[in-house]
Amino acid sequence: MAEILLKSNEDRLLKGRHPWVFNNQVKSIPNGLKAGDIVNVLNSKRKLMGKGFFSPHSAIMVRMLSFEDAEINENFFYTRLLSSIKRRHNLIEKTNALRLVYSEADELPTLVVDKYDDFIVIQTLGAGTDIRKGLFVDILCQILKPRGVYERNDVPVRAFEGLPSNKCLLRGSAPGLLTIKENDLRFFVDIENGQKTGFYLDQRDNRDTLKGFSHNAEVLDCFCYTGGFSMYALHYGASHVTGIDASQESIMLARKNALLNNFANRNFELKMANAFDELKLFDSTGKKFDIVILDPPSFIRKKENLESASRGYKEINLRAIKILKPGGILITCCCSYHISLEIFKNILISCASDAKRSVRILDIKNHPQDHPLLLQLKESYYLKCFLLQAI
Ligand code: SAH
């Protein structure tokens, strides 16, 4: 087995079970090692720290698979995949669309597997999982017997590993529009062309927070995509929902989703527009809502852009607070990992202060059960959702 030797004192993170080895911690790499190979990681005293996937092109040179002297073979991956799927059995009652494997937190770094009814979507975001894609697909087909498997590797993070962007059908026939069921609602999902792997599965629980507040409410759903939050608001009794999104395809699918769930057109208005402009307009015309939802895309890709991204979050949240009726609810999300919970909270504090409104925190939510986080891997914390009430 190939051995990667760490510099002295560079085993600290691994000892604390942080699952990454950065290239600047490594003293020597054997000749002939290929991207994706399994390597033994040794500390400077040649003690085995564990085993992982080797990625020569990434700053994260090794992603740990085991902190033991485990044998990493097909059976190892079968067992890991099966336990990851089994861990989510309690969710199957609620939904037939969920994340089955989520990278490090499921001890399968860089592997993402989503289930949409009887279709599987796979992402192999690192060298180690990419060269084993065929094996993972075989195992998933054996365990789940899906109607098809689709690859959505058209994501920028693959470039850090020197991997190309790609999407294609791997097994079965082209899925077309799939229908999923989440809680009591149904949604059309386009796994080939939709955002992420087709649907924002990570927002399932946050959408359901609308349960307690929507009855007779007038709701504004900004960055609505295919109407995830809007459908929940209508389902829980909202009197009117306005959904805004910049993408024509999303708006079209949101309209279809309303029909699919038998919601009357008169209660649901959709607008293809820039949410920044619409919020400004509502603010200037004095229009007020019972509930405002802000679920924007990440405004920040690089740490250096923190300031401009913060300005973006500040602007939409300030306007949202201003257009809430007394006692109105703001559900505001941030999916940028560079904006920590603390930074986001500080932005919200300054919005409330500038709006001259007292605001209660009713809840702070983050990842659902099928998108678990590894406690030690703070680099993976990305989703934050505040449930606020303006007084
Ligand atoms: N809340 C949705 C997911 C939102 S994803 C759900 O639960 O399914 C973010 C959405 O913001 C995307 O659909 C994207 O098209 C949209 N978007 C990005 N920039 C925008 C802008 N400036 N104005 C309006 N929509 C925008």
Side-chain angles (χ1 to χ4, degrees):
M1 172 71 69
E3 292 176 343
I4 288 222
L5 194 62
L6 298 180
K7 294 176 186 165
S8 64
N9 293 325
E10 289 295 355
D11 56 359
R12 210 171 20 92
L13 284 176
L14 291 183
K15 274 185 180 160
R17 292 289 205 258
H18 186 286
W20 293 351
V21 176
F22 293 95
N23 52 10
N24 60 8
Q25 298 178 289
V26 172
K27 186 170 175 197
S28 68
I29 305 165
N31 287 334
L33 209 53
K34 293 192 300 301
D37 281 352
I38 308 282
V39 289
N40 280 345
V41 180
L42 307 185
N43 73 5
S44 59
K45 298 193 177 95
R46 300 197 57 80
K47 179 175 180 289
L48 180 72
M49 303 303 297
K51 301 182 174 196
F53 287 138
F54 175 63
S55 278
H57 304 297
S58 166
I60 305 163
M61 187 166 267
V62 184
R63 291 169 191 267
M64 301 306 284
L65 283 160
S66 169
F67 292 96
E68 319 284 323
D69 190 10
E71 199 180 329
I72 316 259
N73 51 21
E74 289 190 15
N75 192 44
F76 174 93
F77 289 117
Y78 179 91
T79 309
R80 286 269 159 107
L81 280 167
L82 185 63
S83 24
S84 189
I85 293 167
K86 279 190 170 167
R87 268 195 291 282
R88 289 151 166 91
H89 263 174
N90 63 320
L91 283 177
I92 300 284
E93 271 172 33
K94 273 198 204 172
T95 179
N96 65 4
L98 71 162
R99 180 149 294 185
L100 294 176
V101 179
Y102 188 34
S103 204
E104 278 87 358
D106 284 308
E107 300 175 284
L108 289 164
T110 73
L111 183 67
V112 170
V113 180
D114 288 342
K115 170 180 154 70
Y116 289 99
D117 190 16
D118 52 0
F119 239 91
I120 297 296
V121 183
I122 184 167
Q123 294 180 314
T124 48
L125 306 176
T129 51
D130 202 53
I131 60 166
R132 291 174 183 81
K133 189 170 64 194
L135 171 67
F136 295 134
V137 172
D138 284 345
I139 297 173
L140 289 165
C141 287
Q142 199 183 330
I143 300 174
L144 299 163
K145 306 196 171 36
R147 183 155 63 90
V149 181
Y150 200 83
E151 170 181 347
R152 278 302 299 266
N153 272 332
D154 51 330
V155 279
V157 284
R158 285 192 23 122
F160 295 120
E161 297 266 341
L163 297 168
S165 174
N166 188 36
K167 63 171 179 174
C168 66
L169 184 71
L170 297 174
R171 297 281 164 88
S173 52
L177 267 193
L178 295 172
T179 315
I180 60 150
K181 186 170 169 288
E182 184 183 271
N183 292 310
D184 292 321
L185 290 156
R186 297 205 297 152
F187 292 93
F188 286 119
V189 177
D190 180 355
I191 61 170
E192 296 175 74
N193 305 304
Q195 297 178 26
K196 302 251 269 188
T197 60
F199 199 61
Y200 286 81
L201 298 170
D202 52 356
Q203 290 283 37
R204 182 189 314 112
D205 293 352
N206 297 337
R207 288 190 278 266
D208 206 38
T209 55
L210 282 162
K211 188 174 189 171
F213 308 98
S214 298
H215 190 65
N216 282 337
E218 196 174 349
V219 180
L220 175 64
D221 182 8
C222 295
F223 310 93
C224 69
Y225 186 47
T226 56
F229 281 92
S230 300
M231 295 304 118
Y232 277 73
L234 289 166
H235 177 63
Y236 290 126
S239 58
H240 191 268
V241 177
T242 307
I244 294 169
D245 200 279
S247 137
Q248 169 104 53
E249 296 76 36
S250 304
I251 292 283
M252 273 161 43
L253 216 46
R255 189 157 287 131
K256 276 178 169 246
N257 282 331
L259 284 175
L260 184 66
N261 290 288
N262 299 319
F263 295 130
N265 261 343
R266 70 190 139 80
N267 296 338
F268 188 35
E269 183 185 330
L270 278 159
K271 192 161 181 193
M272 193 188 96
N274 184 337
F276 282 79
D277 297 341
E278 296 302 301
L279 282 162
K280 195 171 167 185
L281 199 65
F282 288 132
D283 184 18
S284 64
T285 56
K287 172 78 191 154
K288 305 274 189 246
F289 293 88
D290 297 295
I291 301 178
V292 176
I293 297 141
L294 296 178
D295 185 19
S298 172
F299 292 155
I300 175 168
R301 295 254 173 257
K302 285 195 236 129
K303 248 206 322 267
E304 300 84 78
N305 302 340
L306 185 65
E307 216 172 292
S308 65
S310 301
R311 273 201 300 277
Y313 290 109
K314 169 93 193 248
E315 178 173 341
I316 54 173
N317 281 285
L318 172 61
R319 300 220 193 265
I321 291 175
K322 286 170 81 179
I323 62 171
L324 283 175
K325 293 181 192 167
I329 298 288
L330 171 62
I331 298 176
T332 180
C333 311
C334 171
C335 62
S336 313
Y337 116 83
H338 293 293
I339 306 237
S340 65
L341 180 72
E342 220 36 51
I343 297 177
F344 190 42
K345 192 176 177 189
N346 285 332
I347 293 173
L348 297 174
I349 292 171
S350 81
C351 292
S353 304
D354 287 4
K356 299 193 170 41
R357 292 191 79 169
S358 305
V359 173
R360 288 188 187 102
I361 300 178
L362 300 184
D363 203 355
I364 304 176
K365 300 167 75 71
N366 48 53
H367 289 224
Q369 186 203 321
D370 57 333
H371 291 63
L373 296 174
L374 201 59
L375 188 59
Q376 285 95 330
L377 188 63
K378 62 179 191 313
E379 293 88 339
S380 65
Y381 299 12
Y382 71 91
L383 186 62
K384 295 138 299 259
C385 175
F386 278 76
L387 183 61
L388 301 176
Q389 183 169 44
I391 297 174

